[in-house]
C-alpha cells in the first residue's frame, strides 16, 4: 500500500501472475500517515481518517474470474486454506482458463490444460466444426454451457491457417489422450481429413 499525492495505491503482495500489478486505486487527497491495526489499514489526512478493510479472498477470486483474469485468480487460490471447495474452485477456474486460451487462439496452451484437467474429449472436439456427428454435438454443447464455458469458437468460416494450427494442436492432444492410462476414447471415433480452405471433412459417431 502506498500513499501518493492524490491517491492510495494497493498492489498485490501475493504470488500472482504479476505481483506488481495494480490491484486497487483509492482517490484520497492530502493523505500523509498510514498505519495497520488488526485487519484494517488506517490512512490519515489533514482533517479526515479513512479505514481500509480487506475483501475476503473468495470474493476477490470471484471478481477476478468475472474479469477473466484467471491467472491472478489462481494465484489468490494458492493463498486460501486447503479444502475440497478450494480444489473444486481451482479446477473450475483452470477449465475456464483453458477455454479462454482457446478463444484467444492459444491452442497449444489450451490443449495442455484440457489434457491436464482430463476434460471430456467430446467437449474439446465440439469446439471444432464438423468433427462430431449431429447426435453428439448437442450433448457436447449442453455440457459446456452448464459450466458457462464458451463454445463454438471455431466454425467453417475460420481462416484456413488458423484452423490448421488449431487442428494440429488437437491432434497432439488426442494422441496424448490415447496413451493416457485409464482414459479411453469411444471405439467408433473417427476423425476426417482436413481439406485446405477451412472445413474439416469427416465426423465422429
Amino acid at each position: 500500500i502506498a500513499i501518493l499525492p492524490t491517491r492510495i495505491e494497493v498492489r498485490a503482495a501475493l504470488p500472482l501472475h504479476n505481483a506488481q500489478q495494480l490491484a486497487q486505486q483509492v482517490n484520497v487527497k492530502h493523505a500523509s500517515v498510514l498505519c495497520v491495526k488488526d485487519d484494517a489499514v488506517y490512512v490519515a489526512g489533514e482533517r479526515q481518517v479513512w479505514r481500509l478493510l480487506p475483501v475476503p479472498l473468495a470474493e476477490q477470486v470471484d471478481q477476478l474470474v468475472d474479469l477473466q483474469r484467471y491467472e491472478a485468480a489462481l494465484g489468490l487460490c494458492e493463498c486460501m486454506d486447503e479444502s475440497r471447495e478450494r480444489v473444486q474452485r481451482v479446477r473450475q477456474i483452470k477449465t475456464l482458463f483453458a477455454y479462454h486460451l482457446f478463444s484467444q487462439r492459444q491452442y497449444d496452451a489450451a490443449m495442455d490444460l484440457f489434457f491436464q484437467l482430463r476434460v471430456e474429449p467430446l467437449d474439446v472436439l465440439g469446439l471444432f466444426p464438423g468433427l462430431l456427428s449431429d447426435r453428439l454435438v448437442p450433448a457436447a454443447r449442453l455440457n459446456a454451457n452448464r459450466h458457462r464455458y464458451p463454445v463454438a469458437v471455431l466454425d467453417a468460416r475460420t481462416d484456413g491457417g488458423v484452423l490448421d494450427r488449431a487442428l494440429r494442436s488437437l491432434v497432439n492432444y488426442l494422441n496424448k489422450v490415447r496413451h493416457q492410462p485409464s482414459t479411453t476414447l469411444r471405439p467408433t471415433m473417427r476423425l476426417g481429413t482436413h481439406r485446405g480452405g477451412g472445413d474439416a471433412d469427416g465426423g465422429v459417431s
Side-chain angles (χ1 to χ4, degrees):
I1 301 176
I3 296 178
L4 300 177
T6 60
R7 65 188 183 278
I8 298 171
E9 286 190 356
V10 181
R11 294 182 181 270
L14 300 174
L16 303 182
H17 175 62
N18 182 352
Q20 295 303 310
Q21 192 170 34
L22 180 64
Q24 188 176 7
Q25 178 175 294
V26 182
N27 293 323
V28 173
K29 293 184 178 180
H30 309 303
S32 58
V33 179
L34 182 150
C35 67
V36 179
K37 182 175 177 58
D38 298 326
D39 290 333
V41 174
Y42 294 87
V43 179
E46 294 178 353
R47 300 179 181 178
Q48 291 178 296
V49 176
W50 297 270
R51 184 176 66 161
L52 308 180
L53 296 174
V55 177
L57 283 179
E59 186 175 333
Q60 293 185 53
V61 168
D62 291 341
Q63 292 174 357
L64 289 170
V65 169
D66 288 341
L67 294 172
Q68 295 186 338
R69 293 175 56 187
Y70 301 113
E71 289 176 291
L74 290 169
L76 275 186
C77 285
E78 294 299 321
C79 303
M80 300 170 66
D81 294 335
E82 288 283 350
S83 66
R84 178 179 299 179
E85 290 74 18
R86 174 180 173 272
V87 172
Q88 292 174 343
R89 186 61 170 141
V90 166
R91 176 179 174 82
Q92 182 191 39
I93 295 171
K94 283 185 176 180
T95 308
L96 286 168
F97 186 35
Y99 280 93
H100 176 73
L101 289 171
F102 189 92
S103 69
Q104 298 300 307
R105 298 184 175 181
Q106 299 181 47
Y107 301 119
D108 288 340
M111 294 299 166
D112 285 344
L113 263 180
F114 287 143
F115 178 75
Q116 174 190 329
L117 297 166
R118 297 197 176 193
V119 172
E120 171 61 47
L122 286 180
D123 293 339
V124 178
L125 289 170
L127 297 171
F128 291 81
L131 295 187
L132 292 181
S133 67
D134 292 340
R135 69 182 181 83
L136 291 178
V137 169
R141 293 285 189 265
L142 176 63
N143 187 52
N145 287 328
R146 186 180 300 124
H147 301 284
R148 298 191 301 116
Y149 303 149
V151 293
V153 177
L154 296 175
D155 59 37
R157 296 168 297 177
T158 300
D159 176 79
V162 172
L163 188 55
D164 283 340
R165 183 159 56 87
L167 286 169
R168 285 195 295 271
S169 297
L170 175 65
V171 169
N172 291 334
Y173 160 79
L174 292 176
N175 284 334
K176 289 195 292 186
V177 169
R178 185 176 295 110
H179 295 96
Q180 184 181 46
S182 73
T183 299
T184 57
L185 291 173
R186 294 173 181 262
T188 55
M189 183 170 288
R190 177 178 58 85
L191 284 180
T193 302
H194 173 51
R195 297 178 180 173
D199 289 327
D201 182 27
V204 177
S205 58

